[in-house]
Amino acid sequence: LAFVDCSASSETVEILTQAVDLGCCIVLANKKPLTSTKEDYDKLVSRPRRIRYESTVGAGLPVIASLNRILSSGDPVHRIVGSLSGTLGYVMSEVEDGKPLSQVVKAAKSLGYTEPDPRDDLSGMDVARKALILARLLGMRINIDSIKIESLYPEEMGPNIMSVEDFLSTGLPLLDNDIGERVRKASLNGNVLRYVCVIEGSRCTVGIQELPKNSPLGRLRGSDNVLEIYSRCYSEQPLVIQGAGAGNDTTAAGVLADILDIQDLFP
């Protein structure tokens, strides 16, 4: 049996651990069980051949599979830099063209790129969860509160204080000047701004970074995801994984591929 969790709930952990005890295989598109406590995580991955979670990071992109191949060959990964939010990738590449942040976020919302409340994307929490999954895969024993996360809006514009409508109409425009100034400063250095996760050594951070225009992340446009993996074998030129990082079709294809992949365990 394969137990497949395509929810976005943190309440499935108990059922998943029961499934592990029963010897079921697990396939996840849901990030929350893998970003729960270290104890829950250890239980879920206690039989690593019987769990697949490719679609938790980068939708259908082969991120987890590529990392697993590198690590199982004994090649130590020492740095990962990635733009893992199609929404924030789109937002950052559009503000680079001089458009105000508020206009770009509203456009992204109307295109269906953002969550119903765009602050769910702008908080960086979704990217932090993906970063935690990758960090734990590398063997880092950390929790979500160990990750330094840069939110694109201040606490006083949070969901408990402002409605979505107020945030979009009055809160968001107040953030235009700051981001615009950061874009201009980066441009003077020949760089661009990208919202990325960086995993290096024992450090894991999520936020805006200034990056060279001609790097894989600097060339990123639209809602694609890009991941650069640096290891002993990929030290000068990183392994770069790029493609559509969001969307129902790509995510579903990733889940289906994981289910089919499990067949190899049962000749």
Side-chain angles (χ1 to χ4, degrees):
L1 286 173
F3 187 94
V4 186
D5 180 1
C6 291
S7 74
S9 168
S10 51
E11 293 172 25
T12 59
V13 172
E14 197 178 321
I15 302 171
L16 288 164
T17 53
Q18 285 176 25
V20 170
D21 287 335
L22 291 168
C24 294
C25 296
I26 306 289
V27 174
L28 298 171
N30 181 7
K31 292 179 277 292
K32 289 177 182 170
L34 292 169
T35 56
S36 181
T37 64
K38 289 200 281 275
E39 292 74 26
D40 287 339
Y41 178 81
D42 289 341
K43 177 73 173 177
L44 287 175
V45 301
S46 58
R47 302 172 78 179
R49 305 257 305 131
R50 288 181 172 239
I51 183 166
R52 300 284 189 281
Y53 48 94
E54 192 63 78
S55 291
T56 58
V57 180
L61 294 177
V63 172
I64 306 292
S66 302
L67 272 171
N68 272 326
R69 282 179 68 89
I70 292 170
L71 294 168
S72 62
S73 72
D75 182 12
V77 173
H78 56 80
R79 178 175 159 86
I80 294 176
V81 186
S83 174
L84 295 174
S85 163
T87 308
L88 292 174
Y90 171 83
V91 167
M92 298 314 292
S93 62
E94 288 290 297
V95 294
E96 186 189 315
D97 294 339
K99 297 174 185 167
L101 178 70
S102 54
Q103 182 188 320
V104 171
V105 171
K106 285 171 192 168
K109 188 176 185 328
S110 66
L111 289 166
Y113 286 170
T114 72
E115 296 294 329
D117 184 345
R119 285 170 294 192
D120 291 346
D121 299 292
L122 299 175
S123 70
M125 186 51 77
D126 183 57
V127 177
R129 285 198 184 97
K130 293 172 186 175
L132 180 58
I133 290 170
L134 296 180
R136 285 177 164 179
L137 184 60
L138 298 188
M140 291 169 69
R141 304 287 294 162
I142 61 170
N143 286 322
I144 198 84
D145 54 12
S146 316
I147 299 176
K148 191 177 170 211
I149 307 167
E150 178 185 359
S151 171
L152 295 190
Y153 64 87
E155 275 181 35
E156 55 268 24
M157 293 185 192
N160 302 335
I161 300 166
M162 261 188 182
S163 68
V164 179
E165 292 70 27
D166 285 348
F167 175 70
L168 289 170
S169 61
T170 59
L172 200 48
L174 299 175
L175 308 176
D176 287 346
N177 286 343
D178 180 48
I179 289 286
E181 191 53 38
R182 288 175 76 173
V183 169
R184 280 189 290 278
K185 276 185 182 166
S187 182
L188 290 173
N189 299 331
N191 294 331
V192 292
L193 298 181
R194 293 289 179 262
Y195 195 94
V196 297
C197 73
V198 179
I199 304 165
E200 189 167 20
S202 60
R203 188 175 64 97
C204 187
T205 60
V206 168
I208 293 177
Q209 296 254 346
E210 203 174 300
L211 297 164
K213 256 186 188 162
N214 59 355
S215 64
L217 280 155
R219 289 194 298 269
L220 180 66
R221 303 296 297 175
S223 60
D224 270 12
N225 281 190
V226 177
L227 198 76
E228 298 176 7
I229 301 170
Y230 295 84
S231 67
R232 189 181 61 218
C233 295
Y234 297 99
S235 55
E236 296 302 312
Q237 290 293 330
L239 173 65
V240 178
I241 302 168
Q242 176 171 0
N248 293 341
D249 289 355
T250 45
T251 306
V255 171
L256 184 58
D258 274 351
I259 294 169
L260 296 172
D261 191 38
I262 284 171
Q263 290 183 120
D264 290 349
L265 300 179
F266 307 99

mmCIF file of all heavy atoms in Angstrom, residues 127-174:
data_model
loop_
_atom_site.group_PDB
_atom_site.id
_atom_site.type_symbol
_atom_site.label_atom_id
_atom_site.label_comp_id
_atom_site.label_asym_id
_atom_site.label_seq_id
_atom_site.Cartn_x
_atom_site.Cartn_y
_atom_site.Cartn_z
ATOM 1 N N VAL A 127 8.736 29.157 1.671
ATOM 2 C CA VAL A 127 10.122 28.903 1.238
ATOM 3 C C VAL A 127 10.923 28.298 2.396
ATOM 4 O O VAL A 127 11.731 27.384 2.195
ATOM 5 C CB VAL A 127 10.797 30.211 0.756
ATOM 6 C CG1 VAL A 127 12.260 29.969 0.372
ATOM 7 C CG2 VAL A 127 10.040 30.787 -0.442
ATOM 8 N N ALA A 128 10.670 28.781 3.618
ATOM 9 C CA ALA A 128 11.390 28.265 4.793
ATOM 10 C C ALA A 128 11.099 26.783 4.995
ATOM 11 O O ALA A 128 11.996 26.006 5.345
ATOM 12 C CB ALA A 128 11.011 29.064 6.034
ATOM 13 N N ARG A 129 9.842 26.369 4.776
ATOM 14 C CA ARG A 129 9.503 24.946 4.916
ATOM 15 C C ARG A 129 10.274 24.108 3.900
ATOM 16 O O ARG A 129 10.806 23.038 4.219
ATOM 17 C CB ARG A 129 7.993 24.729 4.726
ATOM 18 C CG ARG A 129 7.167 25.171 5.917
ATOM 19 C CD ARG A 129 5.770 24.555 5.897
ATOM 20 N NE ARG A 129 4.991 25.093 7.011
ATOM 21 C CZ ARG A 129 4.139 26.104 6.901
ATOM 22 N NH1 ARG A 129 3.944 26.695 5.732
ATOM 23 N NH2 ARG A 129 3.473 26.536 7.946
ATOM 24 N N LYS A 130 10.345 24.597 2.660
ATOM 25 C CA LYS A 130 11.096 23.862 1.633
ATOM 26 C C LYS A 130 12.581 23.799 1.988
ATOM 27 O O LYS A 130 13.234 22.764 1.808
ATOM 28 C CB LYS A 130 10.896 24.535 0.265
ATOM 29 C CG LYS A 130 9.472 24.439 -0.250
ATOM 30 C CD LYS A 130 9.276 25.278 -1.502
ATOM 31 C CE LYS A 130 7.811 25.290 -1.922
ATOM 32 N NZ LYS A 130 7.540 26.179 -3.055
ATOM 33 N N ALA A 131 13.101 24.921 2.492
ATOM 34 C CA ALA A 131 14.519 24.961 2.893
ATOM 35 C C ALA A 131 14.785 23.969 4.020
ATOM 36 O O ALA A 131 15.821 23.288 4.035
ATOM 37 C CB ALA A 131 14.902 26.377 3.332
ATOM 38 N N LEU A 132 13.831 23.860 4.966
ATOM 39 C CA LEU A 132 14.007 22.930 6.091
ATOM 40 C C LEU A 132 14.031 21.481 5.601
ATOM 41 O O LEU A 132 14.830 20.665 6.087
ATOM 42 C CB LEU A 132 12.874 23.137 7.111
ATOM 43 C CG LEU A 132 12.910 22.237 8.353
ATOM 44 C CD1 LEU A 132 14.219 22.402 9.127
ATOM 45 C CD2 LEU A 132 11.727 22.523 9.269
ATOM 46 N N ILE A 133 13.170 21.159 4.628
ATOM 47 C CA ILE A 133 13.157 19.798 4.070
ATOM 48 C C ILE A 133 14.513 19.471 3.448
ATOM 49 O O ILE A 133 15.075 18.387 3.667
ATOM 50 C CB ILE A 133 12.011 19.654 3.039
ATOM 51 C CG1 ILE A 133 10.655 19.669 3.762
ATOM 52 C CG2 ILE A 133 12.165 18.373 2.214
ATOM 53 C CD1 ILE A 133 9.452 19.781 2.853
ATOM 54 N N LEU A 134 15.077 20.428 2.700
ATOM 55 C CA LEU A 134 16.387 20.205 2.074
ATOM 56 C C LEU A 134 17.491 20.115 3.123
ATOM 57 O O LEU A 134 18.377 19.255 3.035
ATOM 58 C CB LEU A 134 16.700 21.337 1.077
ATOM 59 C CG LEU A 134 15.770 21.456 -0.134
ATOM 60 C CD1 LEU A 134 16.207 22.620 -1.023
ATOM 61 C CD2 LEU A 134 15.731 20.170 -0.937
ATOM 62 N N ALA A 135 17.436 21.000 4.125
ATOM 63 C CA ALA A 135 18.466 21.007 5.169
ATOM 64 C C ALA A 135 18.466 19.687 5.944
ATOM 65 O O ALA A 135 19.522 19.112 6.233
ATOM 66 C CB ALA A 135 18.249 22.188 6.120
ATOM 67 N N ARG A 136 17.280 19.192 6.251
ATOM 68 C CA ARG A 136 17.182 17.918 6.972
ATOM 69 C C ARG A 136 17.658 16.757 6.100
ATOM 70 O O ARG A 136 18.266 15.809 6.607
ATOM 71 C CB ARG A 136 15.733 17.689 7.444
ATOM 72 C CG ARG A 136 15.367 18.552 8.645
ATOM 73 C CD ARG A 136 13.910 18.370 9.065
ATOM 74 N NE ARG A 136 13.681 18.904 10.412
ATOM 75 C CZ ARG A 136 12.494 18.905 11.023
ATOM 76 N NH1 ARG A 136 11.431 18.422 10.394
ATOM 77 N NH2 ARG A 136 12.375 19.391 12.250
ATOM 78 N N LEU A 137 17.412 16.847 4.815
ATOM 79 C CA LEU A 137 17.908 15.815 3.894
ATOM 80 C C LEU A 137 19.438 15.767 3.908
ATOM 81 O O LEU A 137 20.045 14.702 3.785
ATOM 82 C CB LEU A 137 17.387 16.098 2.478
ATOM 83 C CG LEU A 137 17.708 15.078 1.385
ATOM 84 C CD1 LEU A 137 17.132 13.706 1.729
ATOM 85 C CD2 LEU A 137 17.168 15.545 0.043
ATOM 86 N N LEU A 138 20.057 16.941 4.106
ATOM 87 C CA LEU A 138 21.524 17.008 4.188
ATOM 88 C C LEU A 138 22.047 16.563 5.557
ATOM 89 O O LEU A 138 23.259 16.519 5.769
ATOM 90 C CB LEU A 138 22.016 18.435 3.919
ATOM 91 C CG LEU A 138 21.729 19.058 2.549
ATOM 92 C CD1 LEU A 138 22.468 20.381 2.404
ATOM 93 C CD2 LEU A 138 22.085 18.129 1.416
ATOM 94 N N GLY A 139 21.125 16.277 6.478
ATOM 95 C CA GLY A 139 21.547 15.789 7.788
ATOM 96 C C GLY A 139 21.557 16.839 8.886
ATOM 97 O O GLY A 139 22.010 16.573 10.001
ATOM 98 N N MET A 140 21.066 18.057 8.575
ATOM 99 C CA MET A 140 21.033 19.105 9.607
ATOM 100 C C MET A 140 19.899 18.832 10.595
ATOM 101 O O MET A 140 18.771 18.570 10.181
ATOM 102 C CB MET A 140 20.858 20.485 8.956
ATOM 103 C CG MET A 140 22.076 20.929 8.159
ATOM 104 S SD MET A 140 21.784 22.400 7.120
ATOM 105 C CE MET A 140 21.579 23.671 8.351
ATOM 106 N N ARG A 141 20.206 18.881 11.880
ATOM 107 C CA ARG A 141 19.215 18.586 12.924
ATOM 108 C C ARG A 141 18.596 19.898 13.406
ATOM 109 O O ARG A 141 18.900 20.389 14.496
ATOM 110 C CB ARG A 141 19.877 17.844 14.093
ATOM 111 C CG ARG A 141 20.601 16.577 13.709
ATOM 112 C CD ARG A 141 19.646 15.456 13.360
ATOM 113 N NE ARG A 141 18.879 15.025 14.533
ATOM 114 C CZ ARG A 141 17.752 14.313 14.458
ATOM 115 N NH1 ARG A 141 17.251 13.999 13.283
ATOM 116 N NH2 ARG A 141 17.129 13.949 15.546
ATOM 117 N N ILE A 142 17.757 20.494 12.568
ATOM 118 C CA ILE A 142 17.195 21.804 12.912
ATOM 119 C C ILE A 142 15.671 21.798 12.807
ATOM 120 O O ILE A 142 15.089 20.917 12.181
ATOM 121 C CB ILE A 142 17.766 22.943 12.027
ATOM 122 C CG1 ILE A 142 17.431 22.710 10.539
ATOM 123 C CG2 ILE A 142 19.267 23.089 12.218
ATOM 124 C CD1 ILE A 142 17.747 23.895 9.651
ATOM 125 N N ASN A 143 15.065 22.801 13.435
ATOM 126 C CA ASN A 143 13.621 23.027 13.333
ATOM 127 C C ASN A 143 13.379 24.335 12.580
ATOM 128 O O ASN A 143 14.312 25.092 12.314
ATOM 129 C CB ASN A 143 12.986 23.104 14.723
ATOM 130 C CG ASN A 143 12.892 21.732 15.373
ATOM 131 O OD1 ASN A 143 12.617 20.733 14.702
ATOM 132 N ND2 ASN A 143 13.144 21.680 16.677
ATOM 133 N N ILE A 144 12.109 24.605 12.289
ATOM 134 C CA ILE A 144 11.760 25.794 11.497
ATOM 135 C C ILE A 144 12.206 27.077 12.195
ATOM 136 O O ILE A 144 12.594 28.052 11.541
ATOM 137 C CB ILE A 144 10.240 25.825 11.179
ATOM 138 C CG1 ILE A 144 9.921 26.778 10.011
ATOM 139 C CG2 ILE A 144 9.406 26.178 12.398
ATOM 140 C CD1 ILE A 144 10.081 26.190 8.655
ATOM 141 N N ASP A 145 12.205 27.081 13.550
ATOM 142 C CA ASP A 145 12.590 28.315 14.250
ATOM 143 C C ASP A 145 14.100 28.537 14.252
ATOM 144 O O ASP A 145 14.579 29.560 14.737
ATOM 145 C CB ASP A 145 12.012 28.352 15.678
ATOM 146 C CG ASP A 145 12.367 27.115 16.485
ATOM 147 O OD1 ASP A 145 13.239 26.349 16.029
ATOM 148 O OD2 ASP A 145 11.759 26.904 17.562
ATOM 149 N N SER A 146 14.864 27.581 13.702
ATOM 150 C CA SER A 146 16.315 27.779 13.555
ATOM 151 C C SER A 146 16.643 28.568 12.284
ATOM 152 O O SER A 146 17.787 28.973 12.082
ATOM 153 C CB SER A 146 17.041 26.434 13.476
ATOM 154 O OG SER A 146 16.571 25.526 14.428
ATOM 155 N N ILE A 147 15.632 28.738 11.421
ATOM 156 C CA ILE A 147 15.864 29.381 10.120
ATOM 157 C C ILE A 147 15.578 30.877 10.234
ATOM 158 O O ILE A 147 14.534 31.290 10.746
ATOM 159 C CB ILE A 147 14.963 28.758 9.032
ATOM 160 C CG1 ILE A 147 15.281 27.268 8.875
ATOM 161 C CG2 ILE A 147 15.143 29.476 7.693
ATOM 162 C CD1 ILE A 147 14.372 26.541 7.899
ATOM 163 N N LYS A 148 16.527 31.676 9.746
ATOM 164 C CA LYS A 148 16.335 33.135 9.732
ATOM 165 C C LYS A 148 15.486 33.476 8.506
ATOM 166 O O LYS A 148 15.899 33.226 7.374
ATOM 167 C CB LYS A 148 17.703 33.807 9.655
ATOM 168 C CG LYS A 148 17.667 35.291 9.889
ATOM 169 C CD LYS A 148 19.062 35.891 9.876
ATOM 170 C CE LYS A 148 18.967 37.403 9.862
ATOM 171 N NZ LYS A 148 20.068 38.025 9.160
ATOM 172 N N ILE A 149 14.295 34.025 8.742
ATOM 173 C CA ILE A 149 13.340 34.275 7.654
ATOM 174 C C ILE A 149 13.075 35.773 7.529
ATOM 175 O O ILE A 149 12.703 36.427 8.498
ATOM 176 C CB ILE A 149 11.999 33.548 7.918
ATOM 177 C CG1 ILE A 149 12.228 32.059 8.191
ATOM 178 C CG2 ILE A 149 11.051 33.725 6.732
ATOM 179 C CD1 ILE A 149 11.016 31.339 8.766
ATOM 180 N N GLU A 150 13.271 36.310 6.322
ATOM 181 C CA GLU A 150 12.960 37.724 6.059
ATOM 182 C C GLU A 150 11.568 37.827 5.445
ATOM 183 O O GLU A 150 11.328 37.317 4.348
ATOM 184 C CB GLU A 150 13.994 38.324 5.092
ATOM 185 C CG GLU A 150 13.703 39.767 4.752
ATOM 186 C CD GLU A 150 14.652 40.357 3.699
ATOM 187 O OE1 GLU A 150 15.564 39.643 3.235
ATOM 188 O OE2 GLU A 150 14.463 41.535 3.342
ATOM 189 N N SER A 151 10.651 38.467 6.177
ATOM 190 C CA SER A 151 9.307 38.704 5.646
ATOM 191 C C SER A 151 9.324 39.989 4.817
ATOM 192 O O SER A 151 10.056 40.925 5.136
ATOM 193 C CB SER A 151 8.310 38.835 6.797
ATOM 194 O OG SER A 151 7.060 39.267 6.305
ATOM 195 N N LEU A 152 8.515 40.030 3.755
ATOM 196 C CA LEU A 152 8.481 41.228 2.904
ATOM 197 C C LEU A 152 7.501 42.287 3.428
ATOM 198 O O LEU A 152 7.342 43.322 2.806
ATOM 199 C CB LEU A 152 8.128 40.849 1.462
ATOM 200 C CG LEU A 152 9.151 39.972 0.724
ATOM 201 C CD1 LEU A 152 8.801 39.866 -0.749
ATOM 202 C CD2 LEU A 152 10.571 40.493 0.886
ATOM 203 N N TYR A 153 6.845 41.988 4.553
ATOM 204 C CA TYR A 153 5.980 43.010 5.160
ATOM 205 C C TYR A 153 6.222 43.018 6.672
ATOM 206 O O TYR A 153 6.603 42.002 7.254
ATOM 207 C CB TYR A 153 4.500 42.730 4.848
ATOM 208 C CG TYR A 153 3.970 41.445 5.436
ATOM 209 C CD1 TYR A 153 3.449 41.403 6.726
ATOM 210 C CD2 TYR A 153 3.994 40.263 4.702
ATOM 211 C CE1 TYR A 153 2.978 40.223 7.277
ATOM 212 C CE2 TYR A 153 3.527 39.077 5.243
ATOM 213 C CZ TYR A 153 3.022 39.065 6.527
ATOM 214 O OH TYR A 153 2.562 37.892 7.074
ATOM 215 N N PRO A 154 6.014 44.163 7.332
ATOM 216 C CA PRO A 154 6.268 44.249 8.780
ATOM 217 C C PRO A 154 5.135 43.617 9.588
ATOM 218 O O PRO A 154 4.025 43.429 9.073
ATOM 219 C CB PRO A 154 6.334 45.762 9.030
ATOM 220 C CG PRO A 154 5.496 46.361 7.952
ATOM 221 C CD PRO A 154 5.625 45.457 6.749
ATOM 222 N N GLU A 155 5.434 43.333 10.849
ATOM 223 C CA GLU A 155 4.455 42.664 11.729
ATOM 224 C C GLU A 155 3.145 43.445 11.846
ATOM 225 O O GLU A 155 2.073 42.859 11.948
ATOM 226 C CB GLU A 155 5.048 42.492 13.134
ATOM 227 C CG GLU A 155 5.889 41.237 13.279
ATOM 228 C CD GLU A 155 6.447 41.076 14.684
ATOM 229 O OE1 GLU A 155 5.744 41.463 15.651
ATOM 230 O OE2 GLU A 155 7.587 40.581 14.806
ATOM 231 N N GLU A 156 3.264 44.779 11.815
ATOM 232 C CA GLU A 156 2.035 45.582 11.995
ATOM 233 C C GLU A 156 1.089 45.497 10.794
ATOM 234 O O GLU A 156 -0.014 46.058 10.827
ATOM 235 C CB GLU A 156 2.370 47.051 12.306
ATOM 236 C CG GLU A 156 3.259 47.749 11.310
ATOM 237 C CD GLU A 156 4.748 47.642 11.677
ATOM 238 O OE1 GLU A 156 5.128 46.688 12.395
ATOM 239 O OE2 GLU A 156 5.506 48.507 11.229
ATOM 240 N N MET A 157 1.504 44.799 9.721
ATOM 241 C CA MET A 157 0.596 44.559 8.590
ATOM 242 C C MET A 157 0.166 43.094 8.541
ATOM 243 O O MET A 157 -0.330 42.610 7.529
ATOM 244 C CB MET A 157 1.277 44.931 7.258
ATOM 245 C CG MET A 157 1.549 46.397 7.086
ATOM 246 S SD MET A 157 2.213 46.743 5.437
ATOM 247 C CE MET A 157 2.774 48.439 5.652
ATOM 248 N N GLY A 158 0.358 42.386 9.650
ATOM 249 C CA GLY A 158 0.051 40.951 9.700
ATOM 250 C C GLY A 158 -1.436 40.658 9.628
ATOM 251 O O GLY A 158 -2.274 41.548 9.833
ATOM 252 N N PRO A 159 -1.783 39.385 9.338
ATOM 253 C CA PRO A 159 -3.192 38.979 9.178
ATOM 254 C C PRO A 159 -4.043 39.221 10.423
ATOM 255 O O PRO A 159 -5.255 39.413 10.316
ATOM 256 C CB PRO A 159 -3.096 37.474 8.888
ATOM 257 C CG PRO A 159 -1.699 37.243 8.424
ATOM 258 C CD PRO A 159 -0.856 38.269 9.090
ATOM 259 N N ASN A 160 -3.426 39.243 11.621
ATOM 260 C CA ASN A 160 -4.199 39.470 12.848
ATOM 261 C C ASN A 160 -4.574 40.943 13.020
ATOM 262 O O ASN A 160 -5.428 41.281 13.838
ATOM 263 C CB ASN A 160 -3.401 39.037 14.084
ATOM 264 C CG ASN A 160 -3.005 37.579 14.011
ATOM 265 O OD1 ASN A 160 -3.682 36.817 13.333
ATOM 266 N ND2 ASN A 160 -1.935 37.192 14.672
ATOM 267 N N ILE A 161 -3.887 41.804 12.245
ATOM 268 C CA ILE A 161 -4.083 43.248 12.441
ATOM 269 C C ILE A 161 -4.812 43.884 11.251
ATOM 270 O O ILE A 161 -5.669 44.738 11.421
ATOM 271 C CB ILE A 161 -2.704 43.945 12.652
ATOM 272 C CG1 ILE A 161 -2.031 43.344 13.905
ATOM 273 C CG2 ILE A 161 -2.853 45.448 12.800
ATOM 274 C CD1 ILE A 161 -0.567 43.682 14.052
ATOM 275 N N MET A 162 -4.479 43.435 10.033
ATOM 276 C CA MET A 162 -5.060 44.021 8.816
ATOM 277 C C MET A 162 -5.809 42.968 8.014
ATOM 278 O O MET A 162 -5.320 41.848 7.873
ATOM 279 C CB MET A 162 -3.923 44.556 7.921
ATOM 280 C CG MET A 162 -3.666 46.021 7.999
ATOM 281 S SD MET A 162 -2.467 46.501 6.709
ATOM 282 C CE MET A 162 -2.320 48.224 7.088
ATOM 283 N N SER A 163 -6.959 43.338 7.463
ATOM 284 C CA SER A 163 -7.662 42.427 6.550
ATOM 285 C C SER A 163 -6.887 42.367 5.222
ATOM 286 O O SER A 163 -6.032 43.210 4.946
ATOM 287 C CB SER A 163 -9.080 42.931 6.276
ATOM 288 O OG SER A 163 -9.018 44.135 5.517
ATOM 289 N N VAL A 164 -7.186 41.355 4.418
ATOM 290 C CA VAL A 164 -6.522 41.218 3.102
ATOM 291 C C VAL A 164 -6.764 42.474 2.269
ATOM 292 O O VAL A 164 -5.846 43.006 1.636
ATOM 293 C CB VAL A 164 -7.048 39.972 2.335
ATOM 294 C CG1 VAL A 164 -6.387 39.853 0.972
ATOM 295 C CG2 VAL A 164 -6.814 38.708 3.135
ATOM 296 N N GLU A 165 -8.020 42.948 2.281
ATOM 297 C CA GLU A 165 -8.390 44.130 1.463
ATOM 298 C C GLU A 165 -7.585 45.360 1.896
ATOM 299 O O GLU A 165 -7.061 46.098 1.050
ATOM 300 C CB GLU A 165 -9.890 44.417 1.571
ATOM 301 C CG GLU A 165 -10.803 43.368 0.934
ATOM 302 C CD GLU A 165 -10.834 42.047 1.683
ATOM 303 O OE1 GLU A 165 -10.601 42.046 2.922
ATOM 304 O OE2 GLU A 165 -11.062 41.015 1.019
ATOM 305 N N ASP A 166 -7.493 45.573 3.217
ATOM 306 C CA ASP A 166 -6.740 46.726 3.726
ATOM 307 C C ASP A 166 -5.255 46.601 3.383
ATOM 308 O O ASP A 166 -4.608 47.587 3.030
ATOM 309 C CB ASP A 166 -6.891 46.850 5.252
ATOM 310 C CG ASP A 166 -8.256 47.396 5.636
ATOM 311 O OD1 ASP A 166 -8.962 47.877 4.728
ATOM 312 O OD2 ASP A 166 -8.627 47.320 6.825
ATOM 313 N N PHE A 167 -4.740 45.386 3.496
ATOM 314 C CA PHE A 167 -3.322 45.168 3.182
ATOM 315 C C PHE A 167 -3.039 45.521 1.721
ATOM 316 O O PHE A 167 -2.079 46.229 1.418
ATOM 317 C CB PHE A 167 -2.923 43.714 3.458
ATOM 318 C CG PHE A 167 -1.516 43.391 3.036
ATOM 319 C CD1 PHE A 167 -0.424 43.919 3.728
ATOM 320 C CD2 PHE A 167 -1.265 42.579 1.937
ATOM 321 C CE1 PHE A 167 0.889 43.635 3.338
ATOM 322 C CE2 PHE A 167 0.034 42.291 1.537
ATOM 323 C CZ PHE A 167 1.113 42.820 2.232
ATOM 324 N N LEU A 168 -3.907 45.056 0.828
ATOM 325 C CA LEU A 168 -3.689 45.305 -0.603
ATOM 326 C C LEU A 168 -3.875 46.770 -0.966
ATOM 327 O O LEU A 168 -3.128 47.318 -1.779
ATOM 328 C CB LEU A 168 -4.650 44.443 -1.437
ATOM 329 C CG LEU A 168 -4.363 42.937 -1.453
ATOM 330 C CD1 LEU A 168 -5.511 42.176 -2.098
ATOM 331 C CD2 LEU A 168 -3.057 42.637 -2.180
ATOM 332 N N SER A 169 -4.862 47.433 -0.328
ATOM 333 C CA SER A 169 -5.169 48.812 -0.739
ATOM 334 C C SER A 169 -4.294 49.853 -0.031
ATOM 335 O O SER A 169 -3.827 50.803 -0.652
ATOM 336 C CB SER A 169 -6.650 49.114 -0.505
ATOM 337 O OG SER A 169 -6.943 48.977 0.869
ATOM 338 N N THR A 170 -4.040 49.665 1.280
ATOM 339 C CA THR A 170 -3.312 50.715 2.012
ATOM 340 C C THR A 170 -1.942 50.267 2.535
ATOM 341 O O THR A 170 -1.006 51.053 2.583
ATOM 342 C CB THR A 170 -4.145 51.232 3.212
ATOM 343 O OG1 THR A 170 -4.417 50.132 4.089
ATOM 344 C CG2 THR A 170 -5.445 51.848 2.759
ATOM 345 N N GLY A 171 -1.815 48.999 2.926
ATOM 346 C CA GLY A 171 -0.542 48.538 3.505
ATOM 347 C C GLY A 171 0.550 48.359 2.464
ATOM 348 O O GLY A 171 1.658 48.921 2.584
ATOM 349 N N LEU A 172 0.229 47.588 1.435
ATOM 350 C CA LEU A 172 1.217 47.222 0.416
ATOM 351 C C LEU A 172 1.901 48.416 -0.260
ATOM 352 O O LEU A 172 3.132 48.416 -0.415
ATOM 353 C CB LEU A 172 0.524 46.316 -0.616
ATOM 354 C CG LEU A 172 1.364 45.415 -1.510
ATOM 355 C CD1 LEU A 172 2.396 44.622 -0.725
ATOM 356 C CD2 LEU A 172 0.461 44.462 -2.287
ATOM 357 N N PRO A 173 1.135 49.476 -0.644
ATOM 358 C CA PRO A 173 1.795 50.629 -1.297
ATOM 359 C C PRO A 173 2.865 51.293 -0.420
ATOM 360 O O PRO A 173 3.802 51.904 -0.945
ATOM 361 C CB PRO A 173 0.640 51.593 -1.578
ATOM 362 C CG PRO A 173 -0.571 50.717 -1.671
ATOM 363 C CD PRO A 173 -0.340 49.617 -0.683
ATOM 364 N N LEU A 174 2.751 51.152 0.918
ATOM 365 C CA LEU A 174 3.753 51.751 1.813
ATOM 366 C C LEU A 174 5.116 51.050 1.702
ATOM 367 O O LEU A 174 6.128 51.573 2.156
ATOM 368 C CB LEU A 174 3.273 51.681 3.271
ATOM 369 C CG LEU A 174 1.977 52.421 3.602
ATOM 370 C CD1 LEU A 174 1.564 52.161 5.041
ATOM 371 C CD2 LEU A 174 2.133 53.926 3.359
#
